[in-house]
Every structure is written in C-alpha cells, then in structure tokens.
Amino acid sequence: MSEQIRVRFAPSPTGPFHIGGARSALFNWLLARKYKDGKLILRVEDTDRARSTKESEENIKEALKWLGLTWDEGIDVGGEYGPYRQTERLHLYQEFTDKLIAEDKAYYCYCTETEIEAEREALRAENKMPIYQGHCRNLTAEQRAQYEAEGRKPVVRFRTPENQQVMFKDLVRGQMCFESNGIGDFVIVKADGMPVYNYAVVLDDALMKISHVIRAEEHLSNTPRQVVLFEALNLPVPIFGHISLILGKDHSKMSKRHGATSVDQYRKLGYLPEALVNFLALLGWAPQDEKEIFSAEELIEAFSMDRVAKNPAVFDIDKLNWINAHYIKQAKPEKITMLAIPHLVEKGYIKGPLTDVEMAKLVSFVAVIQDHLSFAAQVVNFADIFFKDDVLIESDEARETLLDETTPAVINLFKDKLKALEVVDAKAIKPIFKVITKELKVGGQKVYMPLRVALTGQMHGPDLVGLVEVLGRDKVIKRIEETMMRVK
RNA sequence: GGCGCGUUGGUCAAGCGGUUAAGACACUGCCCUUUCACGGCGGUUUCAUGGGUUCGAAUCCCAUACGCGUCACCA
C-alpha cells in the first residue's frame, strides 16, 4: 500500500461501548500503526439525536484509552479535517445536499412516515421488495407548494440510478457486486435536517480522506448505497473491509443474554486491557505461526488484513479467561489488588478505607492466590480465607481430617514450632512441616491436610506456607485453636 | 420474501488441488507438587449435504440445507 493509510473508527454514542466495536477499533488501530504514516481518526456519529448521549461518548473514549487504542485525529485531539462530531458538521452536508438537489440527483419527498409504512406493508404483503415507490420522485412545483402549504416537512431522497451494477472492493470478501435496483430511492436527510448515516458517512469518509473503511459486516449490505453516493458526488471510493460479526454462544449476535458485552464490564471484572486486546485480535484474525500470546507491538507487526477471516466468530469466554489468567500471572499483585478491592467492598469484606498495613497484607495475600485467578474479581472466591476468622468446615471429608488420631499431636507441635520462631516468614515456616513429619513419623498428608482444614476449612487452596506467612502467627494460632475446639 | 455474506472438532482456527487435516481454549489421562492451581507430556473430537470438474478435492464449479446480516426519517 503505497498511499497513506487513513482509517477511522466511527462509533455512535448510543450506549455502552460494545466488545464488537472494540474489535473494529482495534483492527483499524493495528492497520494505522502498521504503516509509518498511518493515521487513525476517531469520529463520532451522533446524528441520532434521540439516542446519542454525552455519557456514551465519554464511555467510548475512556474504553479506547484503557485499551491503549490511541487516535491521531478526531474528537479531543483535533486535526485538519474537523470537526469530528457529525452534529458539528451539518453545514458541510448542507452544501452537498444543495448540490445534489440542484443537479436533480436528489429530491424532496413529502410522504409521511405512516404513508411510507403503509406502502411498505403493501409491498411486503405481495412479497415484493419494500423499497420506495417514487411517489415524490417527479413532483411539480405546484405539488410541492401544496405539500408545503399543508405544513409537511420534507426529507431528501437520493435518486438512485436504475439498472446499474454497483461494485466495490472488499479486503475481506473480494470484489462485491450489487444491483442498484435493489436499493431504491433512500432518504439522505431526515425531516429534522439531520443527515442519515449512509449519507453522512460518505461525506465524512471522503472529506476526511479515509483510505480504508474497516468496519463490521452488518454494514456490508449498506455499502452499495454509499458507493452510489460517492459516485454521484464525484468523490473517491475508499477500499472497504467488512469484518465478520462476533456471535454469542448460541450463534446469535452478542447481546446481554450472553453475559458481559461491554468493554466496561470486563474492565470492572478485572480483565486486563492487554488480555482483551490479545483476545479480540484473535477473534477473526489468525497469525501465520502458532503464537497465541501477543503484545500490542507484536500484534502490529504480525497483523494483516489478508489473514482476517470471513466467517463469524463465537465469543469464547473460556479462552478470554485463559489469556487473561496469563496476563494476571505476570501482573504486579498491587495492581490485581486494586482491581479486586471494589469487589471486596461490594461483598462486605472491606468496610472502610484500609490502613497501609492492612493494604500491604492484602497485597501479600493476593500474591499467594494470584495464580488461581482468571480475573481480579475472583479474589472474592478466596476472601473467606483471608478475612474470616471463624472457619467454616466445607465438608465431612474435611471434618474427618480434623478428627484423625494424629491430628492433635500435629496441631500442637505445629503451634509450638510456630511460637518458637523468631521471624515468621516463608523461609522459617517451610521447614516446620518437614520437621513435624519427622518427629511424629507421619506422612505429609497427615501434616498438611489437618493444618489446611483447621486454618481454612477447605481441603484445597493456595500454598500453605504462603498463607501462614500472610495471616501471621497470632491469627494462625487463634484460628486453628478455635476450629479444633469446635470439632471436639 | 429480495439481496448479500458465511459453513474445517464443543469454541477460536491453520489450510489456498496431493498433508498422518497444524496449533490454541475447553474436556480428559499421566507426570510435577506431601492439597489445589501453575507447568510439562499424551488422548478424545472436525472438513454441512448432494452433484460435478480432475489421475487426485477441505481446497475449484453448481445446487440444497442451515446460520447470520440487510432491506429505517438507527448507526
């Protein structure tokens, strides 16, 4: 690609930032970063006045920043092709609309929504395509004046050329071809003066000199409408690339039913941005080799549009969890702790602000369980071990472990040894277990298990040595004593 | 319904006329670990169906089925 790469991400701020949108943004970003002069433009498509909100726009920006998907031109950062919010570009669209009308390539349509709806119904009933039948296609000046007098507010429709083949190039799907007759005269400017998506997007992409339009497949069927407009306006047609949709487990489009769908939800659950980026890249794109774990830099290096798949991909939370677990293991315990705290607060484990000492202890605890986590919120699954001093014995099997005839001796010896320690750290604690097996002549099972159950109530869990160190001598002794009292 | 896109194991997927049809997640077996997890080594499971073309087809062509998208004064 010799010309400059200029790609854009153009979300409409009508709700929480969707995971699918994040992938579109990611692919565009990767393309922009791959080429030295590549530019990513962030444009906001806010022409739907009823649904667009400032909060959504903020949410999208925050999510993009969190994911590390930086943009070179667009809202907040500016650029020479601004403004970058469609509602601030109305004067630009107006110019082109006037021109189209003057050239008779577009016309005013006074049909009301109910009239149009009735027409559509009728066509559908006959099993025909529900396209506009051209009622206002050739109105006389008198007819128009009549409608105006009635107070009707017109929309502007594009006069779609008949019997033409509309072709365009798609990087993912190859050469595409549609019949113009299947399109009909579509609305380009609403009655409130707002341009319709298919119109504004064409003008913006052309005016912002976008070279490649990479977006979701749901736009594929809309593309001929846009191509026809590019041609009518004598504007260069960009190269398209329609990436397939992300589906839920049941193969329908991802929705709330499938669990978390917004970037924000994953962020709050304690997924790491690098993991999400890594995972999203692998949904619909495959590297040449067998690598699975990619840093952003490695993705930029390896990414290319011709390895983007045509078929839709099912969002597999198990794989995301696996990737995230990988990044969690590499992360600093402090970081995971910070992500987990809101969840610990929510579950009532943490009441007020933590002191420095408490915080340090919590961090050490997180370090002990870090390898067990798929995402930070899972810390609450282990929180009882850390926060709850009255141990709940999880099963009869665990109880039996405590009733073992060797158990009292083990527990007592352990307490003595622990009390005798000058410094209570992992290095000092570890040998205790060995010594006990030797002195009491019992197997490791008989030492570790009763102590684990007395301390946590559970048969399985994080490393005991680490646990004893983090909990501290007093708490450990108090806990085992109380548990033993209770089983007797 | 028209138009369009798609269909390799439960999931992500490699493959682009000749392969024992990669790899990863999940599942599972063993090892490691005196628990679990991590990690290591194995295993089960796939070319939607039917026709062609070809010496040879997961790969090319045509049907059928199924899934999805779109046909808005939403984007």
Side-chain angles (χ1 to χ4, degrees):
Chain A
M1 300 188 211
S2 53
E3 61 173 317
Q4 195 197 356
I5 300 284
R6 290 180 58 83
V7 292
R8 71 349 180 249
F9 178 58
S12 63
T14 52
F17 190 37
H18 193 267
I19 209 84
R23 190 187 52 155
S24 295
L26 172 63
F27 281 21
N28 276 292
W29 181 79
L30 288 170
L31 214 53
R33 292 295 165 266
K34 189 164 183 68
Y35 298 90
K36 37 258 139 235
D37 269 338
K39 294 276 188 285
L40 175 64
I41 290 97
L42 177 62
R43 178 175 78 221
V44 174
E45 312 216 325
D46 56 350
T47 53
D48 185 343
R49 283 188 152 148
R51 295 196 301 147
S52 295
T53 64
K54 199 73 193 162
E55 295 75 61
S56 293
E57 186 182 308
E58 287 304 316
N59 181 267
I60 291 167
K61 284 193 306 196
E62 282 311 305
L64 287 173
K65 283 182 199 165
W66 178 67
L67 289 168
L69 307 181
T70 51
W71 57 99
D72 309 293
E73 290 174 26
I75 53 167
D76 287 8
V77 304
E80 62 177 303
Y81 302 101
Y84 294 92
R85 223 172 257 114
Q86 287 185 328
T87 47
E88 292 166 14
R89 299 172 61 77
L90 267 20
H91 57 288
L92 290 166
Y93 309 133
Q94 185 62 50
E95 244 177 79
F96 287 89
T97 308
D98 292 344
K99 203 174 133 213
L100 283 173
I101 287 174
E103 293 172 0
D104 204 31
K105 288 175 175 168
Y107 57 89
Y108 291 106
C109 168
Y110 293 87
C111 297
T112 62
E113 288 192 64
T114 32
E115 285 166 355
I116 295 290
E117 195 47 51
E119 178 177 288
R120 265 202 285 269
E121 282 305 313
L123 285 166
R124 263 191 235 272
E126 287 180 66
N127 257 336
K128 284 188 187 157
M129 242 185 299
I131 57 175
Y132 184 61
Q133 296 298 290
H135 177 77
C136 298
R137 224 175 179 213
N138 301 298
L139 291 183
T140 61
E142 290 74 40
Q143 287 172 307
R144 283 192 50 193
Q146 170 65 31
Y147 283 134
E148 296 279 354
E150 287 174 23
R152 293 197 184 204
K153 281 249 193 297
V155 298
V156 179
R157 280 185 190 273
F158 179 68
R159 197 186 296 278
T160 301
E162 291 174 277
N163 306 316
Q164 272 193 15
Q165 302 214 300
V166 185
M167 308 216 249
F168 60 91
K169 196 178 163 190
D170 191 290
L171 286 177
V172 179
R173 285 150 220 287
Q175 187 63 236
M176 303 294 336
C177 183
F178 292 78
E179 298 294 330
S180 71
N181 291 356
I183 298 173
D185 291 356
F186 56 95
V187 175
I188 57 175
V189 180
K190 307 178 206 177
D192 68 358
M194 280 289 165
V196 153
Y197 163 74
N198 277 316
Y199 181 50
V201 78
V202 163
L203 259 14
D204 289 341
D205 285 340
L207 264 22
M208 293 178 186
K209 304 223 174 346
I210 302 301
S211 63
H212 296 73
V213 172
I214 311 300
R215 66 199 350 172
E217 191 190 331
E218 57 194 295
H219 295 288
L220 186 58
S221 301
N222 274 322
T223 308
R225 261 167 262 268
Q226 295 166 22
V227 171
V228 159
L229 282 170
F230 276 112
E231 285 167 354
L233 292 158
N234 258 317
L235 295 168
V237 184
I239 294 169
F240 297 95
H242 289 96
I243 58 184
S244 56
L245 264 23
I246 298 179
L247 271 27
K249 262 240 165 331
D250 62 356
H251 287 220
S252 68
K253 205 170 156 180
M254 267 260 276
S255 70
K256 307 89 241 148
R257 290 182 297 110
H258 301 107
T261 53
S262 74
V263 172
D264 218 44
Q265 286 172 287
Y266 287 96
R267 176 184 188 168
K268 287 187 176 135
L269 282 171
Y271 285 85
L272 270 13
E274 52 271 42
L276 212 48
V277 162
N278 193 152
F279 173 68
L280 253 18
L282 259 20
L283 270 191
W285 170 81
Q288 224 148 35
D289 53 25
E290 290 165 7
K291 209 167 141 85
E292 298 276 341
I293 299 294
F294 285 87
S295 67
E297 290 68 33
E298 290 169 328
L299 280 175
I300 291 166
E301 171 69 26
F303 186 79
S304 86
M305 282 303 289
D306 41 62
R307 294 192 67 80
V308 172
K310 297 177 172 66
N311 52 309
V314 173
F315 187 93
D316 182 9
I317 189 73
D318 285 331
K319 182 121 182 193
L320 204 214
N321 282 339
W322 175 74
I323 291 179
N324 200 58
H326 170 87
Y327 287 96
I328 292 251
K329 279 180 207 108
Q330 296 185 336
K332 286 238 185 333
E334 287 81 1
K335 185 169 171 182
I336 309 305
T337 305
M338 292 314 288
L339 293 172
I341 285 177
H343 296 95
L344 292 170
V345 170
E346 193 193 330
K347 294 281 181 199
Y349 288 106
I350 297 177
K351 304 279 193 276
L354 296 179
T355 65
D356 286 354
V357 175
E358 286 171 328
M359 181 62 92
K361 278 198 169 170
L362 182 56
V363 169
S364 321
F365 174 66
V366 169
V368 172
I369 60 169
Q370 197 162 339
D371 279 1
H372 296 251
L373 305 172
S374 286
F375 49 94
Q378 287 180 335
V379 168
V380 301
N381 297 347
F382 298 89
D384 277 356
I385 297 174
F386 184 70
F387 290 98
K388 244 182 111 193
D389 285 329
D390 48 327
V391 173
L392 179 76
I393 297 163
E394 65 167 357
S395 64
D396 291 343
E397 197 190 0
R399 184 174 308 267
E400 279 162 29
T401 306
L402 294 180
L403 296 172
D404 231 318
E405 56 177 330
T406 53
T407 297
V410 169
I411 298 276
N412 286 329
L413 227 196
F414 178 77
K415 285 194 301 191
D416 292 345
K417 300 274 182 199
L418 193 59
K419 281 177 188 159
L421 251 35
E422 272 177 40
V423 191
V424 184
D425 61 9
K427 223 173 84 190
I429 297 162
K430 199 163 183 185
I432 294 182
F433 293 89
K434 277 235 167 73
V435 171
I436 295 175
T437 56
K438 247 187 209 156
E439 291 187 17
L440 263 31
K441 297 201 187 353
V442 293
Q445 286 275 9
K446 300 276 187 197
V447 177
Y448 279 80
M449 273 309 168
L451 282 166
R452 175 178 294 285
V453 173
L455 198 56
T456 69
Q458 297 168 12
M459 299 288 287
H460 311 295
D463 174 56
L464 248 193
V465 174
L467 224 44
V468 171
E469 180 184 20
V470 171
L471 260 20
R473 169 161 41 200
D474 296 348
K475 190 169 269 198
V476 167
I477 288 172
K478 189 163 163 262
R479 241 138 96 156
I480 19 195
E481 279 175 349
E482 280 175 11
T483 310
M484 292 314 286
M485 292 282 281
R486 257 181 307 131
V487 280
K488 266 171 204 160

